[in-house]
Amino acid sequence: MTTLLPRSLRSTLRKAGNLICALGFFGLAVCLAAPADTAGSGARRPNIVIILGDDMGFSDMGSFGSEIRTPNLDALASEGVRFTNFYTHASCSPTRSMLLSGVDTHVNGLGNMDEWTAPNQRQVPGYEGYLNHQVLTLPQLLKGAGYHTYMVGKWHLGKAPELIPAARGFERDFSLLDGAGSYWDMTNFTGAAPQSVFTEDGRYLTALPKDYYATKTYTDKLIGFIDANHGDGKPFFAYVSHQAPHDPYHLPREWRTRHVGAYDKGWDAVRQERLARQIALGIQPPGTALAERMWFVPDPITLAPAAKATLGKKMELYTGMMENMDFHIGRLIDHLKKIGEYDNTLFIVFGDNGAEGNDLFKMIAGSPGSRDFLFAAIKWSQTHLNAWGDPGSYVSYGPMWAQVSMTPFSQYKGWVAEGGIRNALIVSGPTVERPKGSINHGLMHVADIMPTLLEIAGVDYPTSNAGRPVPKLIGRSWRRMLSGQAPAPRGTQDYLAWEIFGNRAVRQGDWKLRWQYKPFGKAAWELFNLAADPAERKDLAAERPDKVRQMVGLWDSYVRTNNVILPSRSTFETLEDQLPPRVPDDPGYPPLIYKRQFVPPTDMLADPKP
Amino acid sequence: MHINDAQMKQAPWWSWLAVITLLTMGALRPALAQTPARFYWDTLSGSNAVPLIFESINGNTNPFDPAHIVTPNADFSATMAIAGYARTFSLFDRSAMAAILLPMGRISGDVTVAGRTFRQSASGFGDPMLEFNINVLGPPAQKNIPDVMRYEPGFSVDLLADLALPIGEYNSKQPLNLGQNRWYGRFGLPVIWQLGPWVPGRRTTLELLPAVWLFGDNNNFVGQTMKTAPMFQLDAHLTRDLTETLWASLDGAWFSGGKATINGVAGKPLNNIGVGLTLGYAINSNLNLTLGYKSTINDNAPDALRMDGFMATLVYGWHPLIEGSRRLKSE
């Protein structure tokens, strides 16, 4: 509607709309009805497709150095731009909350994961455990601005009727409301909540479609949504929130055996290969070192073939998950090409947090005799290797392969080390005017996506909603950067900050300040120079107390500004007692297990004397 | 969260798998009886197995004689056991197995020869049999544990050869013997057709064993010469896991040919069908038990093959690698 109005009239109406919004008389509906400038005058506004890979690691796409075959995602990368300094949060729903609200987690309701809300955070606004109603959502605003808004896949931002996708701005949806579950059916993980909850177009499903497989069905549904409204002249916004490759690694049989034995070489070798490719591609600079192998992860060359094969098969399945997801993304892309929408579609692809190295299944069902163990015995006990991927199997690949997925970074999901929060990002399509296939190292954040897309769609972010002020967006629009007018959305003085489960970090320029529970951290501030040490191997806190002080000041500012309440309890509070004592990662130590058989000179061999 | 326990606890399954597979492998070839189901599954090279087969058989044929020559109006009762040793190995990257089997037991009953009926009995050792089996179509040899982990038969075909040595107990004054006083053997093509997933508890197979038995002459069959024509035998089994350690099989067998000629007087060739049921159970990671019953069905005619029997098998299997791992784990 807005594009049909003369520019002068649009401007007038926009001002009027802003005034009304400020006065709060008519609230959001009127505000959204106010026309706004579109991305390009007279140009058709682009469709927007956000593709989220759940727990997809930084290096899991071929275009980011992976051996995993992701031709469709790589094609997007070759036609668009890859970003190497893009940050999400360390776990899923906080990232999703910032993606869809543009507001800090401690304000938008995901100050902590719903599953881990601490006693001192209960009943505190910003810590509701779901995307609260203080915020406006991206689909809400885009819908009001004339976009069709579609969502398929994982939601994990609230299950009550007023919290589901249909209530938060999505016109059509097919959604898993839980954080994870079976890919084959409605089975979930605990005896207390044994069934996954799905919605379709705002109704709670009593059953799943025939031939349901999450990644396939999500894609089918989205294609159906797009086709249903295609031709009405309105652009669409599609949030493709894939469950893949989150564990359990459920996978059609034909996708499980594409790389048999390929990972028997072990995680160290695969990490080294990925890093070499990253350097060759320009993802990482020459000289980049790998993060330490986690001290409790064995050197794979010391493992027996059976252990290598068993653990390697987990990565084979993960690879299958990635490749299957890429296949279905390819189906979506092909369909958009077929209906003539591809060239006018902006794609944004990334993973929601670091790869998953924690053993979620053990957390849930690890105690024999417990309610959840008994539930798992009935529903999740298909442990045979040949059953991996079937309904009832629960495979996750563990910390060793999570480190591979996060090559070259340290640690993984749940932690604010780079391996927990830095992710691969691809942006491709209209509005991207940078050289095709180029790589950008600017500092980016998931909360940037909301202001970026609002600007591209020509939507102004309201200052109030129903008479109440709307939380400020924390991100920076990428619009100028994407068009090549700026190298990055942030300068060296801008900073980013994170807090989840009590772990916290600040990044400013090349510097990063980090506090993590022991033994992943020191329960004290650590300082890293990410330009020289992206793997966070060398803590410079003792050498640079001035820098620590300066960045702690940023942290304090972040806490004050964003309602940060450090949790009184944390999922990681007893981790130090569960893991072996932390020791340095010294390759080749101890020589006892590395030294090979001594072979004497043949001319000195002799038979025993009588 | 860490690998030390949680990840490595995955290991026991493969040792278990390997031995279970070993126990159900083709190490056991009761060549003198119909071959039970799941005896042709290939397994880890270097495995060893000691089979023990017990059978209680009634009918009108000598169960120690694979030609199943019918003695009309006879009624035999036999208790037999077969003990053996088998070892698997890799040959040209294919799974192979060599075995020796020694039948023993006793048989008694009424025998009619040339119109005269005798009450006879025999006991002792039968003809030992050498057996060789090699896979010719299907997955390559399982030379290490990862190969065992990744093994699925799909559609696999083996080549089987048996040769019996005529050194068993034999009394030329009576027709009923444990030894057969002649060379004989067979060539067969054991087929495993995997139907569905290869997951313990859910495995289903269709197994076929078409085989041709070839017999030398017995030049002293109660002072006469007995020639036996080649006999075709087709064993078929539809097997299905009931649990991870319990399985069942519907068995069928068809015997055709094997016409015996004594001093130029020809008998009738076989054309008979038998059916049966087998239950298999893995007692532990070394020991496997099967219990079965089988019976001919088209056996009303006096000269038709009539045979029924109960069979119990125990197979003890081991592999040095797996036994060593178990010793270390139990420390």
Side-chain angles (χ1 to χ4, degrees), chain A residues 253 260-261 264 267 296-298 303 305-307 309-311 314 316 357-359 362-363 382-388 390 397-400 412 520 572 575 578-580, chain B residues 1-18 21 144-153 194 196-203 244 321 325:
Chain A
R253 194 161 286 275
V260 174
D264 289 10
W267 33 91
F296 50 83
V297 171
L303 296 180
T310 304
L311 299 174
K314 297 186 173 194
E316 293 169 24
N358 305 292
D359 191 341
K362 187 180 176 189
M363 287 183 196
Q382 292 297 318
T383 57
H384 191 275
L385 264 73
N386 287 351
W388 287 5
D390 285 352
Y397 62 3
M400 57 283 183
Y412 38 77
F520 278 47
F572 298 130
L575 190 61
Q578 301 169 36
L579 288 175
Chain B
M1 172 177 290
H2 57 96
I3 191 173
N4 307 41
D5 295 328
Q7 301 292 336
M8 298 305 292
K9 278 178 181 170
Q10 299 288 347
W13 76 269
W14 52 258
S15 57
W16 197 85
L17 167 77
T21 307
N144 49 46
I145 299 293
D147 291 342
V148 176
M149 291 165 47
R150 291 164 182 151
Y151 173 77
E152 294 191 22
Q194 172 190 340
W198 199 247
V199 178
R202 289 190 272 153
R203 291 170 298 199
E244 292 182 15
L321 170 65
S325 299

Side-chain angles (χ1 to χ4, degrees), chain A residues 81-161:
Chain A
V81 183
R82 283 164 286 173
F83 297 90
T84 65
N85 262 300
F86 171 69
Y87 285 96
T88 60
H89 218 307
S91 65
C92 48
S93 45
T95 291
R96 292 156 199 270
S97 72
M98 289 194 289
L99 166 68
L100 295 179
S101 74
V103 173
D104 187 82
T105 56
H106 304 88
V107 177
N108 70 27
L110 273 300
N112 204 336
M113 295 276 288
D114 185 36
E115 295 84 349
W116 299 101
T117 304
N120 66 329
Q121 296 170 332
R122 291 176 192 153
Q123 312 302 322
V124 178
Y127 296 81
E128 292 88 344
Y130 54 81
L131 190 62
N132 64 29
H133 286 284
Q134 305 300 313
V135 300
L136 296 172
T137 70
L138 179 59
Q140 204 175 350
L141 296 174
L142 290 177
K143 185 179 179 183
Y147 269 74
H148 289 298
T149 52
Y150 310 134
M151 174 189 165
V152 289
K154 170 177 159 179
W155 176 242
H156 206 192
L157 291 172
K159 293 181 181 175

Side-chain angles (χ1 to χ4, degrees), chain A residues 378-580:
Chain A
I378 298 297
K379 296 292 186 181
W380 292 100
S381 58
Q382 292 297 318
T383 57
H384 191 275
L385 264 73
N386 287 351
W388 287 5
D390 285 352
S393 65
Y394 198 112
V395 179
S396 59
Y397 62 3
M400 57 283 183
W401 294 116
Q403 279 207 281
V404 169
S405 286
M406 296 312 297
T407 301
F409 302 125
S410 174
Q411 305 177 14
Y412 38 77
K413 178 181 177 180
W415 300 90
V416 292
E418 294 294 283
I421 56 177
R422 205 195 293 199
N423 226 301
L425 171 70
I426 297 169
V427 182
S428 177
T431 75
V432 179
E433 297 168 43
R434 287 182 165 274
K436 290 182 185 296
S438 61
I439 296 170
N440 182 281
H441 304 292
L443 191 57
M444 320 265 283
H445 191 263
V446 65
D448 298 342
I449 292 174
M450 177 115 163
T452 302
L453 295 183
L454 292 181
E455 186 178 356
I456 288 172
V459 180
D460 288 332
Y461 182 70
T463 55
S464 67
N465 177 27
R468 292 182 305 185
V470 174
K472 289 182 179 176
L473 298 178
I474 62 168
R476 302 288 179 83
S477 173
W478 300 340
R479 187 68 202 279
R480 291 186 68 243
M481 182 272 297
L482 292 175
S483 64
Q485 299 171 49
R490 284 180 179 77
T492 55
Q493 294 306 305
D494 295 317
Y495 75 92
L496 299 173
W498 300 260
E499 187 283 322
I500 186 76
F501 309 133
N503 294 325
R504 61 210 86 143
V506 180
R507 177 164 179 183
Q508 185 185 45
D510 293 337
W511 291 95
K512 180 175 175 183
L513 188 70
R514 189 182 90 185
W515 190 105
Q516 294 193 132
Y517 278 97
K518 291 180 178 178
F520 278 47
K522 297 178 178 176
W525 289 112
E526 298 173 84
L527 181 70
F528 302 97
N529 184 319
L530 295 182
D533 180 23
E536 297 170 285
R537 293 186 77 111
K538 187 174 182 184
D539 175 15
L540 301 172
E543 293 178 29
R544 292 293 308 273
D546 58 320
K547 194 67 185 173
V548 172
R549 276 194 300 277
Q550 181 252 320
M551 294 193 73
V552 169
L554 296 177
W555 166 256
D556 291 339
S557 173
Y558 172 72
V559 169
R560 286 192 302 273
T561 309
N562 292 285
N563 185 38
V564 176
I565 300 171
L566 292 176
S568 56
R569 299 290 308 276
S570 169
T571 180
F572 298 130
E573 62 193 4
T574 61
L575 190 61
E576 189 180 17
D577 299 326
Q578 301 169 36
L579 288 175

Side-chain angles (χ1 to χ4, degrees), chain A residues 44-90:
Chain A
R44 186 181 164 211
R45 291 183 297 177
N47 306 311
I48 299 163
V49 174
I50 293 177
I51 298 173
L52 200 55
D54 198 0
D55 291 355
M56 180 176 76
F58 178 88
S59 69
D60 283 336
M61 292 185 279
S63 47
F64 280 80
S66 183
E67 74 291 340
I68 299 173
R69 296 195 293 256
T70 53
N72 296 297
L73 292 167
D74 296 344
L76 292 177
S78 67
E79 294 181 11
V81 183
R82 283 164 286 173
F83 297 90
T84 65
N85 262 300
F86 171 69
Y87 285 96
T88 60
H89 218 307

Side-chain angles (χ1 to χ4, degrees), chain B residues 133-147:
Chain B
N133 183 75
I134 186 168
N135 175 262
V136 293
L137 179 66
Q142 299 165 61
K143 293 184 282 193
N144 49 46
I145 299 293
D147 291 342

